[in-house]
Amino acid sequence: DTMPVRVEAVVAERIGRLPPSSRELLSTGSVEGETFTAEVVAQVQGIGERDAVRTLSHTLDRQHRLVSAQGIRRLGNQPLSQYRFRHILFQKYLYSSLDPVERVYLHEQVGIALEEIHHDRQTANVSVQLARHFEEAGLPEKAIHYLHLAGERALRLSAYQEALAHLNKALSLLRAQPDLPESSRKELALQLALGVAWVGIEGYGPEAKEIYSRAHSLGQQLGETSEICRAVGEQACLHYVRAEYERAQEFAEEALSLAHEVGDPLLVAISHWYLGFILFARGNFLDARDHLQQVIAFYDPPKHHETFVLLRSSDSGVSALAYDACCLWCMGFPDQALKRSQEALSLARELDHAFSLVDVLAYGGCLLHKLRRDADSFIASANELRGIACETLPGWMGSATWHWGEALVLQGNLERGIAEMRRGLERRQYGIEQCNRSGALYSLAEAQAAAGRPEEGMRTMEEALTLAETTDERYYEAELIRLKGKLLLMQDKVDEAEASFHKAIDVARHQGARSWELRATTSLARLWQKQGKTGEARQTLAEIYGWFTEGFDTQDLKEAKALLDELA
């Protein structure tokens, strides 16, 4: 209990021996934090840098042992001499000894000195310190500016909690100021950045919904079309994750119209991306690809990655590659799909941005490998997705767990896979994330059928089909209907099963989904084979099999070829 008192007594005694100029220098250094530079001290005190270094190194380090030299670092061509207090209590004591007027003055002077040293974009590297100095100096406008910069810097690094803290503090300072004409404009910029942070933390939950609604309202008040476009686009995502696909598409189309009105190619590209993944979810693969291709043609990773991340949490360009891979598979190009997936995953790892990587792993990794029935690749992607979600992005844990369960089932580990899928689905259900649920229920029903529980599988299947009908989530529709036919066969309902296979083929043809059509036709041909309709089965299967020009080493095409050989 007496240790702090003794330390403070030593500090006071040592400070009493210092000449006034040295005491002032030490106080100046203390307001920058535990580590400070001689260059800042020199600028604030109006003395030469050599004099500042000499005083800090000789008087305060060697003679009084209050600070210690930490070495030199370079900022461009400029060397910066760094010092640190030997104990934080020295710093706290000296700082508390400043009177309020002197403290405000020194904070402002240190802030100005830091601005001069870290000029232009380099001020982002010390934006947190600058924000603190200008807030303590009673200059809230400059503090808000630097807190915004600090928040954006944190967003680039996927440090979403840190970004949230800086941006909320900036918003709090802004709301404490008089209501000026520029206040709404500043709030709009902060709200859009806050939205990115919340999406990174928890996805499109209630906070993100409220933030983007507020941003939309502010944008309309100010007539800021670019910002309205951003808010509307993210509202499209809000509806998408809730499986409200029609509303999502309406917002995405509005965003694209606004982007063209503004003439901003980045906003145009992002709006095409919104429409690409929404149309994919609705089973409109051809139009989805048209939009995704426009993003891919525009995208230049070194030029656009950082901007995409700041605009909407993840990199829309690399995400477009992942969704394009899934479209290619559904349309009957499995080799091109795999190549596109590999391109997306390689680029996402190279970009080293966690949110962008999990987005690609979920679609270009897990979903594509599930479609291809590639168990080993699926388990690798699901495992990587789980690791990143656990360490960095807990909002993705529901999807990661469910994918992990799907991968286990594909490997043949049925009961454990079913348990993991249920855990993942329950975790997602606690939130608002309902997108892709029909595809997840398909996997669960398929696993239940493989485990010899067709009645249970049928209940799951009916839930999935009802969901597809009510939400218009159609990308798995043909396969859902085919699996229903398979479950009916397991219950000896042959006529109903055959009708389901025919319906699955019709849906796949309507969607231009050749891969789904091949699966449904193979199931129908197997049934006809058992019924002795060998010629009809062979002709029907040969027609769709003959359409394919690639992917002959994939499970679906190998099974179709083996059946054709049997039918011969």
Side-chain angles (χ1 to χ4, degrees), residues 67-278:
V67 301
S68 62
Q70 297 295 299
I72 299 285
R73 70 180 178 90
R74 292 196 169 272
L75 186 67
N77 294 324
Q78 180 177 4
L80 296 180
S81 310
Q82 293 183 291
Y83 294 83
R84 180 181 294 270
F85 283 94
R86 290 186 181 276
H87 198 288
I88 188 103
L89 285 174
F90 293 173
Q91 177 190 6
K92 287 182 176 180
Y93 181 87
L94 293 167
Y95 182 68
S96 65
S97 69
L98 297 170
D99 66 61
V101 174
E102 185 180 18
R103 190 176 298 175
V104 167
Y105 169 78
L106 288 174
H107 272 294
E108 182 176 358
Q109 292 302 107
V110 171
I112 292 168
L114 282 171
E115 282 183 318
E116 290 178 4
I117 291 172
H118 300 268
H119 54 82
D120 301 328
R121 289 191 64 186
Q122 292 171 338
T123 53
N125 297 329
V126 289
S127 50
V128 177
Q129 295 97 309
L130 283 163
R132 179 189 169 228
H133 289 308
F134 288 124
E135 182 184 1
E136 294 289 343
L139 297 170
E141 287 192 5
K142 297 197 82 169
I144 291 165
H145 169 72
Y146 284 115
L147 283 167
H148 191 177
L149 276 185
E152 289 189 334
R153 185 168 184 267
L155 290 177
R156 291 189 190 96
L157 301 171
S158 300
Y160 298 113
Q161 292 286 0
E162 182 182 338
L164 199 63
H166 295 318
L167 295 167
N168 273 328
K169 187 171 184 181
L171 200 57
S172 177
L173 284 175
L174 180 65
R175 286 171 176 164
Q177 304 311 306
D179 191 11
L180 300 172
E182 281 300 304
S183 297
S184 293
R185 202 172 304 279
K186 289 178 181 177
E187 184 189 348
L188 175 56
L190 288 169
Q191 292 285 6
L192 288 169
L194 267 173
V196 175
W198 271 115
V199 169
I201 292 167
E202 65 164 25
Y204 290 91
E207 289 82 3
K209 183 178 182 180
E210 183 178 342
I211 286 165
Y212 284 118
S213 177
R214 173 63 177 164
H216 192 174
S217 176
L218 285 169
Q220 288 178 319
Q221 290 173 27
L222 295 166
E224 293 288 347
T225 308
S226 294
E227 281 69 19
I228 297 171
C229 177
R230 287 182 60 190
V232 166
E234 290 304 291
Q235 286 174 306
C237 285
L238 283 159
H239 287 289
Y240 169 82
V241 299
R242 289 165 172 78
E244 298 163 356
Y245 296 116
E246 187 175 352
R247 289 287 288 146
Q249 186 170 337
E250 289 170 2
F251 273 97
E253 286 169 348
E254 183 184 351
L256 182 58
S257 175
L258 290 166
H260 281 302
E261 184 182 329
V262 174
D264 186 333
L266 275 166
L267 293 178
V268 169
I270 292 174
S271 300
H272 278 299
W273 175 74
Y274 292 134
L275 281 166
F277 68 75
I278 292 166

Side-chain angles (χ1 to χ4, degrees), residues 449 453-455 457-458 461 480-502 519-531 563:
R453 303 198 293 270
E455 293 82 6
M458 184 61 78
M461 180 55 53
L480 288 168
I481 298 168
R482 185 198 71 83
L483 183 56
K484 181 179 180 179
K486 179 180 174 181
L487 289 163
L488 287 165
L489 270 183
M490 293 175 72
Q491 299 174 66
D492 296 322
K493 298 177 181 179
V494 178
D495 291 342
E496 292 177 54
E498 183 173 349
S500 287
F501 294 147
H502 279 295
R519 276 197 201 172
T521 305
T522 302
S523 293
L524 179 62
R526 282 201 187 99
L527 175 59
W528 280 349
Q529 182 189 32
K530 291 177 182 177
Q531 294 174 332
L563 182 54

